[in-house]
Amino acid sequence: MNSPFLRQIFESITLDSLLPRSVYLQLADAILLSIKNGQLQSGQKLLSTRDLSDLLNINRITVSKAYAELQMQGWLESTTGSGTFVSKHIADHIPAALGSELVHAPQKIAGFTVPSISYPERSGDAIVTELHLDDGYPDPRFSPLKEFYRAYRNQLERSGLYHKFGSYGNPAGPSAYRQALSDYLNETRGLKTTADNILSVRGTLMGINLVCNALISPGDVVVSEIPGWKRAEHNFLHAGAKHIGVPVDEHGLIVDELRKVCRQQKIRMVYVTPHHQYPTTVSLRIDRRLELLRLANEYGFIIFEDDYDFDFHFKHRPLLPLASADENGMVIYCGSFSKSFSPAFRMGYLVAAKNVIEQLAGVRILLDRQGDHVLDNAMADLLNDGTIQRYLRKTLTIYQEKRDFFCGLLYKELKGAVNFTLPEGGMSVWTMFDTSINLEKLAKNAHQKGLYLADGKAHIYPDFNANGIRLGFASSTKDELSSSVQILKELIR
């Protein structure tokens, strides 16, 4: 005779023939849940197919299929003439209940130990406020999205489908993209590269992470600018490196301070943003650039040059990258199209000596087999036909006008409350607020009024707090910039 408790378990099962999932699978799921939560024990005999079909008012074949499904998975076992039982082999693999209130609750935390590491706060979802003074993003209204769409579509329609979609490619990136990038960088930045010196990556962060994985060992010393980019710094720490910060002034990294560090300990790598220092936007002066290269040659450290917005310089022709003057292969040069094209398209590149690129490609394959070759080849077409170059020339004028307009607003409307220097290039203004202004509170109140801006916490260090944030102007219209500054003016008052 079947126990009343067993019948009660099966009576509680609800099946719905209108659901897309088959009834026999719904029944199998329900029985499996009863096994997992401990209602049905190891070795326990189940109702016969006839009794269960009568109880649930379903076809006996449906019950047989549900039992067969669970037998195939090893949850049930059947003995001819004896019936169907919960498998006796699963008892030791069922975790102990953590409390009745958690039986049906979704998993909130892992059941295993997760290391406690202090990472920077994750960025949330995309900015949804109507107004935004962001970190310095381009205006997608001017990006050649239609041209990019056509280039991408052409990749899908051309011949050679097997080689593009039926097999894997070079983890360093497709040869057409690497060659197009080599030509572009040689022409615009004075580099001396071939395709063998290029590695395609999904943005600057991936480039930093690859270098840390491939070239940085636990205990190595990595130096970077203070203030700097904390996402880069946390990559260094995650690699087990010892991070040392060197201060920045109005002429960029203070190389004299770096020299002192070199004399005290062995440095493995120096991470710099010499073109427009992040976050202050100042440029590294020529004498300091030359001295930094000399120190790298003397002490044998890597220079990681993050050139995130070289294409936007308004005052005069920008100083060429450190990599253009590197004769001994000490510089790893990194750039991306996030600032010049769109942050949504994850396309970037590392430039280095051939043997370094080979090493990085070998590490990259452990993380990302080859990247998006179709996307890369579409960008190669836009580089080869001059679309990107025409787009950059056009937007350079537009962004310079926006910079002048925005800085005029800051000076006129927020005079006395903010301090800034007109940036020579880039898409943001490093703006220092009066110490009486709480930036975290200001950002929160601005958000309530439909304006996004950073709260400044990313630029605070134990020995540095300028009460400053980057105010991006490029992605907004002049009307939007005016409205944004008016909101700030009202809140500060």
Side-chain angles (χ1 to χ4, degrees), residues 60 235 275 303 312 347 408 436:
R60 185 178 177 184
N235 264 281
H275 184 55
I303 297 176
F312 298 98
M347 292 176 290
S436 63

Side-chain angles (χ1 to χ4, degrees), residues 114-120 234 237-238:
V114 178
S116 177
I117 303 176
S118 178
Y119 290 114
H234 280 76
L237 296 176
H238 188 71

Side-chain angles (χ1 to χ4, degrees), residues 22 31 38 69 80 135 262 297-298 366 369 377 380 414 423 447:
S22 302
I31 296 173
E69 176 71 20
T80 303
D135 194 54
C262 291
N297 291 323
E298 180 180 352
L366 302 176
R369 176 58 179 81
N377 281 327
L414 301 182
H447 191 274

Side-chain angles (χ1 to χ4, degrees), residues 5-68:
F5 178 70
L6 186 62
R7 292 183 63 87
Q8 183 179 2
I9 292 175
F10 285 108
E11 283 176 343
S12 66
I13 294 175
T14 301
L15 305 173
D16 188 347
S17 60
L18 298 179
L19 293 177
R21 190 163 177 80
S22 302
V23 173
Y24 86 91
L25 290 176
Q26 294 180 47
L27 178 57
D29 292 342
I31 296 173
L32 179 57
L33 179 62
S34 296
I35 295 173
K36 288 183 174 181
N37 64 26
Q39 289 179 299
L40 295 176
Q41 301 291 323
S42 173
Q44 186 169 0
K45 184 176 182 180
L46 304 186
L47 296 179
S48 68
T49 55
R50 184 185 301 278
D51 288 345
L52 186 53
S53 64
D54 290 343
L55 182 66
L56 298 179
N57 194 28
I58 57 177
N59 193 293
R60 185 178 177 184
I61 297 177
T62 300
V63 179
S64 297
K65 289 176 67 177
Y67 280 2

Side-chain angles (χ1 to χ4, degrees), residues 158-220:
R158 290 175 184 169
S159 59
L161 292 181
Y162 174 78
H163 296 289
K164 287 192 292 187
F165 305 116
S167 62
Y168 291 111
N170 191 331
S175 58
Y177 177 60
R178 294 162 68 204
Q179 186 59 57
L181 265 176
S182 175
D183 295 340
Y184 174 71
L185 296 174
N186 292 348
E187 179 182 351
T188 61
R189 290 154 171 79
L191 303 190
K192 307 175 187 67
T193 68
T194 69
D196 290 335
N197 300 119
I198 309 292
L199 175 76
S200 170
V201 293
R202 296 177 182 270
T204 302
L205 266 180
M206 182 177 182
I208 295 171
N209 189 269
L210 279 178
V211 169
C212 286
N213 276 287
L215 302 174
I216 304 299
S217 300
D220 282 348

Side-chain angles (χ1 to χ4, degrees), residues 237-478:
L237 296 176
H238 188 71
K242 176 184 177 183
H243 175 244
I244 296 177
V246 171
V248 170
D249 63 15
E250 67 271 20
H251 302 300
L253 180 75
I254 303 177
V255 180
D256 286 344
E257 294 298 322
L258 174 63
R259 187 185 301 108
K260 295 177 183 178
V261 179
C262 291
R263 292 169 177 170
Q264 295 171 356
Q265 52 193 306
K266 176 69 174 177
I267 295 176
R268 176 58 171 164
M269 186 170 77
V270 174
Y271 168 85
V272 288
T273 52
H275 184 55
H276 296 135
Q277 197 274 334
Y278 186 93
T280 67
T281 75
V282 300
S283 296
L284 185 61
R285 201 169 59 192
I286 183 63
D287 59 317
R288 296 188 182 185
R289 290 170 180 251
L290 296 175
E291 181 63 10
L292 177 58
L293 285 169
R294 193 193 67 77
L295 289 175
N297 291 323
E298 180 180 352
Y299 291 98
F301 58 75
I302 303 164
I303 297 176
F304 189 107
E305 182 176 14
D306 181 355
D307 204 1
Y308 63 94
D309 66 353
F310 176 88
D311 295 302
F312 298 98
H313 201 85
F314 310 129
K315 186 176 180 180
H316 47 68
R317 191 173 188 271
L319 290 171
L320 292 178
L322 295 169
S324 68
D326 176 29
E327 300 294 339
N328 298 313
M330 306 306 294
V331 178
I332 298 176
Y333 181 80
C334 184
S336 80
F337 292 102
S338 296
K339 298 296 185 184
S340 59
F341 192 80
S342 168
F345 295 98
R346 306 310 302 156
M347 292 176 290
Y349 46 87
L350 288 174
V351 182
K354 181 181 177 181
N355 64 321
V356 174
I357 294 299
E358 291 171 349
Q359 175 83 353
L360 295 174
V363 173
R364 189 255 179 83
I365 203 172
L366 302 176
L367 169 70
D368 182 14
R369 176 58 179 81
Q370 66 175 44
D372 191 335
H373 280 207
V374 180
L375 191 71
D376 286 349
N377 281 327
M379 179 57 74
D381 285 349
L382 297 187
L383 288 169
N384 289 332
D385 68 15
T387 296
I388 295 299
Q389 293 87 329
R390 290 190 297 273
Y391 155 71
L392 292 174
R393 286 194 297 269
K394 173 184 175 181
T395 53
L396 187 65
T397 301
I398 294 172
Y399 292 153
Q400 183 174 3
E401 291 178 356
K402 288 187 179 183
R403 179 206 63 173
D404 295 343
F405 179 78
F406 181 60
C407 288
L409 287 174
L410 292 179
Y411 181 79
K412 178 182 177 182
E413 304 296 338
L414 301 182
K415 187 176 182 180
V418 301
N419 183 30
F420 65 93
T421 299
L422 185 74
E424 295 182 351
M427 300 181 182
S428 65
V429 180
W430 173 245
T431 310
M432 292 169 284
F433 287 73
D434 186 89
T435 55
S436 63
I437 298 172
N438 184 312
L439 289 181
E440 188 173 356
K441 182 179 179 181
L442 179 66
K444 181 179 180 181
N445 292 338
H447 191 274
Q448 293 175 349
K449 290 183 173 293
L451 168 64
Y452 167 82
L453 68 154
D455 60 12
K457 291 191 292 184
H459 309 310
I460 297 175
Y461 291 81
D463 298 321
F464 178 87
N465 184 4
N467 205 40
I469 53 177
R470 287 163 61 92
L471 298 179
F473 55 82
S475 60
S476 301
T477 66
K478 290 183 178 180

